[in-house]
Amino acid sequence: MKSLHMIGSTHMGGAERWFTRFLAAMLRQGEDVEAVVRRGSELAQHHLAGIPHHELPFRTVWDPFSRHAVSRLIARSDAPIVQTYMGRATRLTHLKRGRGKVHVSRLGGYYKLDPFRHAHAWIGNTKGLCDWMIQGGLPAERVFHITNFADPARAVAADELHALRQRIGVQPEDWIMVTAGRLTDVKGHRYLVDALSRLPAEIDGQRLRLVVLGDGDLAAPLAEQARQAGVADRILWAGWQHDPAPWFHVADMVVFPSRDAETLGNVILEAWAYGKPLVASAFRGAREITRPGEDAWLVPCDDGAALAAGIEHVIRNLGLQRQMVANGLARIERDFSEAAVIAQYRALYAQLLDNR
């Protein structure tokens, strides 16, 4: 069955990256999908190759021209499922019940619920998020849990990886820690910078270096924090990477220091898929999907000292690293595969259309 997927963002972030990954996976699994994105957005300009899509204004939630454009496109479309992402696209989409189309709102975070209540059904990517939506007054029979999937690790040619190592100056004795995510408060980067300042420059002869994949409003304050902490020369601010595969390949470890409000954290799945030991804060999503000490090493949120101790513990324990890598790869195959997640969406769409 055909589905229409709408997001109104200007810039790329975790939700937008999931949007492109999800629609590409839907197409690979034989589903008929179309994207609707903001005109001139980063998504429209760079990230929808091979995905059928439309561009609309999506200016503000109060803009009558944007609302009219959304309504007109939905009316012209033969897709019975309209799935919206985040607040702007959801608030501009209003479908009346009994008109043959179903509005599904996918939430990837603990947003205020009022802008989402008019949808016909809701998807949360963690059980905790679904429970929270129900506690907030959404009808339990129309709230559905479908987790995110992990892309299989993309193979990268040896010469490309060599060129990347040369470009960023990786030495044989370096231990490369990679973190990924927009430079916003919820991602907890300040605690990772603090942790790095508490760690020795070398552990067991390995020079510690941190690569940060992402950009955002906190770029300048974080760089200043690193400078004042004396660790600026140990951090590479690599910016947003639409294809992080080469960076995960060169990593020795993935670190994910998000604060408790983080919902799921796709970086956890990426660490597992690429076979990298993972140190993460015990935010709500990590508590739900990881098995601490088995496939991830968790430390308290908002605690640079604990994060530093966790990083050092894992670096010094090769057996623990191997165990976490093996268990993480097994979790991807068993619980977070693309085919399994897309099958859940397919079944949900059929159920919603049967009940419309």
Side-chain angles (χ1 to χ4, degrees):
M1 73 199 68
K2 188 172 185 178
S3 53
L4 197 64
H5 298 261
M6 313 184 73
I7 190 167
S9 314
T10 301
H11 301 294
M12 289 297 293
E16 293 74 23
R17 186 157 171 247
W18 162 256
F19 183 84
T20 60
R21 291 174 53 232
F22 175 63
L23 294 189
M26 291 280 277
L27 290 170
R28 285 193 295 270
Q29 297 295 324
E31 298 301 307
D32 186 1
V33 300
E34 288 185 351
V36 185
V37 300
R38 184 169 180 168
R39 185 173 298 131
S41 65
E42 291 180 17
L43 270 171
Q45 295 180 66
H46 306 297
H47 303 294
L48 294 176
I51 299 174
H53 63 278
H54 308 269
E55 297 182 33
L56 295 183
F58 283 124
R59 286 192 285 261
T60 72
V61 297
W62 302 281
D63 175 34
F65 298 104
S66 294
R67 178 164 292 189
H68 175 70
V70 168
S71 298
R72 186 172 58 179
L73 188 147
I74 292 173
R76 291 202 313 261
S77 173
D78 59 350
I81 296 289
V82 179
Q83 184 160 310
T84 59
Y85 302 73
M86 304 179 69
R88 181 169 302 188
T90 301
R91 292 179 68 176
L92 287 169
T93 301
H94 286 264
L95 304 182
K96 292 184 178 180
R97 291 183 183 277
R99 296 294 179 88
K101 295 181 186 286
V102 177
H103 179 191
V104 184
S105 179
R106 180 194 178 274
L107 279 72
Y110 290 81
Y111 313 129
K112 291 182 178 180
L113 288 177
D114 285 347
F116 300 88
R117 294 184 188 277
H118 62 281
H120 303 154
W122 303 268
I123 296 172
N125 59 2
T126 67
K127 294 178 182 176
L129 179 56
C130 290
D131 290 342
W132 177 82
M133 287 191 275
I134 294 167
Q135 292 167 6
L138 299 185
E141 69 276 9
R142 290 192 276 128
V143 175
F144 303 91
H145 169 233
I146 305 181
T147 190
N148 292 4
F149 60 81
D151 287 333
R154 186 178 75 79
V156 179
D159 59 348
E160 184 179 346
L161 295 180
H162 176 72
L164 176 59
R165 291 188 178 98
Q166 290 286 104
R167 178 161 62 87
I168 65 176
V170 176
Q171 301 299 317
E173 68 273 14
D174 285 346
W175 178 270
I176 304 298
M177 299 179 289
V178 168
T179 191
R182 281 191 67 79
L183 304 184
T184 59
D185 185 65
V186 73
K187 298 298 182 181
H189 292 97
R190 57 182 159 137
Y191 301 103
L192 182 51
V193 174
D194 180 39
L196 190 63
S197 72
R198 297 171 182 271
L199 288 162
E202 295 184 2
I203 295 177
D204 292 341
Q206 296 174 302
R207 184 176 65 145
L208 271 58
R209 295 186 63 190
L210 173 64
V211 175
V212 181
L213 309 181
D215 55 23
D217 294 341
L218 295 183
L222 287 168
E224 177 62 17
Q225 179 190 354
R227 188 190 66 79
Q228 292 187 9
V231 294
D233 61 336
R234 296 161 63 185
I235 303 177
L236 171 63
W237 305 95
W240 175 261
Q241 302 291 322
H242 180 63
D243 178 15
W247 300 90
F248 282 118
H249 277 294
V250 304
D252 295 295
M253 168 188 286
V254 173
V255 184
F256 197 48
S258 280
R259 310 188 71 189
D260 192 56
E262 180 77 70
T263 309
L264 186 149
N266 286 315
V267 176
I268 290 176
L269 305 183
E270 290 173 313
W272 289 345
Y274 281 86
K276 303 300 176 179
L278 170 68
V279 177
S281 54
F283 60 88
R284 60 188 72 184
R287 296 195 301 271
E288 179 173 315
I289 70 172
T290 68
R291 295 172 181 172
E294 297 181 17
D295 49 36
W297 192 263
L298 299 190
V299 302
C301 294
D302 301 355
D303 190 333
L307 185 56
I311 290 170
E312 183 166 4
H313 176 74
V314 173
I315 292 174
R316 294 187 184 278
N317 194 327
L318 183 59
L320 176 61
Q321 294 174 36
R322 290 172 175 165
Q323 172 189 309
M324 291 197 298
V325 166
N327 289 336
L329 289 168
R331 292 293 308 283
I332 290 296
E333 183 176 349
R334 183 173 63 250
D335 301 326
F336 299 98
S337 71
E338 173 186 299
V341 170
I342 299 305
Q344 291 180 61
Y345 273 92
R346 185 183 298 123
L348 175 60
Y349 292 168
Q351 175 185 339
L352 292 173
L353 291 176
D354 284 344
N355 296 335
R356 59 184 164 176

